[in-house]
Amino acid sequence: MDTCQEKKKLLLEMLAFATVDGQLSKKGYDFLFLIANELNFEKGGFIDLLSEELPSLPDNLKLARIKQFYQLILFFQNDGVLFKQDPELIIHIAITMGLDTEAIKVLIKKIKHSPNSIIPDDVLWNIFHDDSEY
């Protein structure tokens, strides 16, 4: 990477991916700080990035993350019982993936009431994209 602007853009995008509910974990901060050092980004410059507006993630990446989480739920449900063993684990995974907890509850409810647990992509997108209960 040649220019300071390219480095800044890359770090801002990585910050956007690592930020969950407006919060950057210490682990995420430390990791991104190491990357910033490798890119020869000054410490003060990296810290200044934390106060900048983060770019929005492309919709296709958001949908891919939602679909991955949905597939994980289906995997946990392979015995026909959703969250029999580890409900906290599933919620924790969703949060670390940057997914909204209210949307997760709506998705779980939809899966439980769906006859075959299959939910189309557009419905998944609407659950996580809308502020309303889908």
Side-chain angles (χ1 to χ4, degrees), residues 47-61:
I47 292 172
D48 289 343
L49 287 180
L50 298 174
S51 62
E52 288 195 25
E53 184 175 336
L54 298 176
S56 60
L57 300 174
D59 287 345
N60 62 341
L61 291 177

Side-chain angles (χ1 to χ4, degrees), residues 63-100:
L63 182 59
R65 191 169 20 162
I66 291 166
K67 288 172 65 173
Q68 287 173 342
F69 179 73
Y70 168 64
Q71 291 168 348
L72 179 68
I73 289 176
L74 292 178
F75 174 75
F76 272 84
Q77 185 189 332
N78 69 355
D79 61 354
V81 179
L82 187 60
F83 304 135
K84 182 178 179 182
Q85 301 279 333
D86 298 313
E88 294 87 24
L89 174 63
I90 284 292
I91 297 297
H92 176 73
I93 291 169
I95 291 170
T96 58
M97 291 177 75
L99 300 175
D100 178 49

